[in-house]
Coordinates of all heavy atoms in Angstrom, one line a residue:
N1105 N 12.1 3.0 -33.8 CA 11.2 2.1 -34.6 C 10.5 1.1 -33.6 O 10.5 -0.1 -33.9 CB 11.9 1.4 -35.7 CG 12.4 2.4 -36.7 OD1 11.8 3.4 -37.0 ND2 13.6 2.1 -37.3
H1106 N 10.0 1.6 -32.5 CA 9.4 0.8 -31.5 C 8.0 0.4 -31.8 O 7.4 -0.5 -31.1 CB 9.5 1.4 -30.1 CG 9.2 2.9 -30.2 ND1 7.9 3.3 -30.5 CD2 9.9 4.0 -30.0 CE1 7.9 4.6 -30.5 NE2 9.1 5.1 -30.2
G1107 N 7.4 1.0 -32.8 CA 6.0 0.6 -33.1 C 4.9 1.4 -32.6 O 3.7 1.2 -33.0
I1108 N 5.2 2.3 -31.6 CA 4.1 3.2 -31.1 C 4.0 4.3 -32.1 O 5.1 4.9 -32.4 CB 4.4 3.7 -29.7 CG1 4.5 2.5 -28.7 CG2 3.3 4.6 -29.2 CD1 4.6 2.9 -27.3
S1109 N 2.8 4.6 -32.6 CA 2.7 5.6 -33.7 C 3.1 7.0 -33.2 O 2.9 7.3 -32.0 CB 1.3 5.6 -34.2 OG 0.4 6.2 -33.3
E1110 N 3.5 7.9 -34.1 CA 3.8 9.3 -33.8 C 2.6 9.9 -33.2 O 2.6 10.8 -32.4 CB 4.2 10.0 -35.1 CG 5.7 10.2 -35.2 CD 6.0 10.8 -36.5 OE1 5.5 11.9 -36.9 OE2 6.9 10.2 -37.2
E1111 N 1.4 9.6 -33.8 CA 0.1 10.2 -33.4 C -0.1 9.9 -31.9 O -0.5 10.8 -31.2 CB -1.1 9.7 -34.2 CG -1.1 10.0 -35.7 CD -0.1 9.3 -36.5 OE1 0.2 8.1 -36.2 OE2 0.5 9.9 -37.5
L1112 N 0.1 8.7 -31.5 CA -0.2 8.4 -30.1 C 0.8 9.1 -29.2 O 0.4 9.6 -28.2 CB -0.2 6.8 -29.9 CG -0.5 6.4 -28.5 CD1 -1.8 6.9 -28.0 CD2 -0.4 4.9 -28.4
M1113 N 2.1 9.1 -29.6 CA 3.1 9.8 -28.8 C 2.7 11.2 -28.6 O 2.7 11.8 -27.5 CB 4.5 9.7 -29.4 CG 5.1 8.4 -29.6 SD 5.4 7.5 -28.0 CE 7.0 8.0 -27.7
E1114 N 2.3 11.9 -29.7 CA 1.9 13.3 -29.7 C 0.7 13.5 -28.8 O 0.6 14.5 -28.1 CB 1.7 13.8 -31.1 CG 3.0 14.4 -31.6 CD 2.9 14.7 -33.1 OE1 1.8 14.9 -33.7 OE2 4.0 14.6 -33.8
E1115 N -0.3 12.6 -29.0 CA -1.5 12.7 -28.2 C -1.2 12.6 -26.7 O -1.8 13.4 -25.9 CB -2.4 11.6 -28.6 CG -3.9 11.9 -28.3 CD -4.7 10.8 -28.8 OE1 -4.5 10.3 -30.0 OE2 -5.6 10.3 -28.1
V1116 N -0.3 11.7 -26.3 CA 0.0 11.6 -24.9 C 0.7 12.9 -24.4 O 0.3 13.4 -23.3 CB 0.9 10.4 -24.6 CG1 1.3 10.3 -23.2 CG2 0.3 9.1 -25.1
F1117 N 1.5 13.5 -25.2 CA 2.2 14.7 -24.7 C 1.1 15.9 -24.7 O 1.1 16.7 -23.7 CB 3.3 15.1 -25.7 CG 4.6 14.5 -25.3 CD1 5.1 13.3 -25.9 CD2 5.4 15.0 -24.3 CE1 6.3 12.7 -25.5 CE2 6.6 14.4 -23.9 CZ 7.0 13.3 -24.5
E1118 N 0.2 15.9 -25.6 CA -0.9 16.9 -25.6 C -1.7 16.8 -24.3 O -2.0 17.7 -23.6 CB -1.8 16.7 -26.8 CG -1.3 17.3 -28.1 CD -1.0 18.8 -28.0 OE1 -1.9 19.5 -27.6 OE2 0.2 19.1 -28.3
Q1119 N -2.1 15.5 -24.1 CA -3.0 15.3 -22.9 C -2.2 15.5 -21.6 O -2.8 16.0 -20.6 CB -3.5 13.8 -22.9 CG -4.4 13.5 -24.1 CD -5.8 14.0 -23.9 OE1 -6.1 15.0 -23.2 NE2 -6.8 13.3 -24.5
N1120 N -0.9 15.2 -21.6 CA 0.0 15.5 -20.5 C -0.1 17.0 -20.2 O -0.3 17.4 -19.0 CB 1.4 15.0 -20.9 CG 2.4 15.1 -19.7 OD1 2.0 15.4 -18.6 ND2 3.6 14.8 -20.0
K1121 N 0.1 17.8 -21.2 CA 0.1 19.3 -21.0 C -1.2 19.7 -20.5 O -1.3 20.6 -19.7 CB 0.3 19.9 -22.4 CG 1.7 20.3 -22.6 CD 1.9 21.2 -23.9 CE 3.4 21.2 -24.2 NZ 3.7 21.6 -25.5
K1122 N -2.3 19.2 -21.1 CA -3.6 19.6 -20.6 C -3.9 19.3 -19.2 O -4.4 20.1 -18.4 CB -4.7 18.9 -21.5 CG -4.9 19.5 -22.8 CD -6.1 18.9 -23.5 CE -6.2 19.3 -25.0 NZ -6.9 18.4 -25.8
F1123 N -3.4 18.2 -18.7 CA -3.7 17.8 -17.3 C -2.9 18.8 -16.4 O -3.5 19.4 -15.5 CB -3.2 16.4 -17.0 CG -3.3 16.2 -15.5 CD1 -4.6 15.9 -14.9 CD2 -2.2 16.3 -14.7 CE1 -4.7 15.8 -13.6 CE2 -2.4 16.2 -13.3 CZ -3.6 15.9 -12.7
F1124 N -1.6 19.0 -16.7 CA -0.9 19.9 -15.8 C -1.3 21.3 -15.9 O -1.0 22.1 -15.0 CB 0.6 19.7 -16.0 CG 1.1 18.3 -15.5 CD1 1.7 17.4 -16.4 CD2 1.0 18.0 -14.2 CE1 2.1 16.2 -16.0 CE2 1.4 16.7 -13.7 CZ 2.0 15.8 -14.6
G1125 N -2.0 21.7 -17.0 CA -2.5 23.0 -17.2 C -3.7 23.3 -16.4 O -4.2 24.5 -16.3
L1126 N -4.3 22.3 -15.8 CA -5.6 22.5 -15.0 C -5.2 23.3 -13.7 O -4.1 23.2 -13.2 CB -6.2 21.1 -14.6 CG -6.7 20.2 -15.7 CD1 -7.1 18.9 -15.1 CD2 -7.9 20.9 -16.4
P1127 N -6.2 23.9 -13.1 CA -6.0 24.6 -11.8 C -5.6 23.6 -10.8 O -6.1 22.5 -10.8 CB -7.4 25.3 -11.5 CG -8.2 25.1 -12.7 CD -7.6 24.1 -13.6
L1128 N -4.8 24.1 -9.8 CA -4.3 23.1 -8.8 C -5.5 22.5 -8.1 O -5.4 21.3 -7.7 CB -3.5 23.9 -7.8 CG -2.8 23.1 -6.7 CD1 -1.9 22.0 -7.3 CD2 -2.0 23.9 -5.7
S1129 N -6.6 23.2 -7.8 CA -7.7 22.6 -7.1 C -8.3 21.4 -7.9 O -8.7 20.4 -7.3 CB -8.8 23.7 -6.9 OG -9.2 24.2 -8.2
E1130 N -8.3 21.5 -9.2 CA -8.7 20.4 -10.0 C -7.8 19.2 -9.9 O -8.2 18.0 -9.8 CB -8.9 20.9 -11.4 CG -9.9 20.2 -12.3 CD -11.3 20.1 -11.7 OE1 -11.9 21.2 -11.4 OE2 -11.8 19.0 -11.6
K1131 N -6.5 19.5 -9.9 CA -5.5 18.4 -9.9 C -5.5 17.7 -8.5 O -5.3 16.5 -8.4 CB -4.1 19.0 -10.2 CG -3.9 19.4 -11.6 CD -2.5 19.9 -12.0 CE -2.2 21.3 -11.6 NZ -1.0 21.8 -12.2
M1132 N -5.8 18.5 -7.5 CA -5.8 18.0 -6.1 C -7.0 17.0 -5.9 O -6.9 16.1 -5.0 CB -5.8 19.1 -5.0 CG -4.5 19.8 -4.9 SD -3.1 18.8 -4.6 CE -3.2 18.7 -2.8
K1133 N -8.0 17.0 -6.8 CA -9.1 16.1 -6.7 C -8.6 14.7 -7.1 O -9.3 13.7 -6.7 CB -10.2 16.5 -7.7 CG -11.0 17.7 -7.3 CD -12.1 18.0 -8.2 CE -12.8 19.3 -7.9 NZ -13.6 19.8 -9.0

Side-chain angles (χ1 to χ4, degrees):
N1105 297 324
H1106 44 64
I1108 301 185
S1109 72
E1110 258 175 56
E1111 291 75 34
L1112 181 57
M1113 295 298 269
E1114 269 166 29
E1115 201 177 316
V1116 179
F1117 274 98
E1118 281 302 305
Q1119 295 282 30
N1120 185 3
K1121 264 191 193 161
K1122 280 189 190 154
F1123 174 78
F1124 290 117
L1126 294 175
L1128 184 62
S1129 58
E1130 206 54 57
K1131 292 186 279 194
M1132 289 304 276
K1133 288 183 188 164

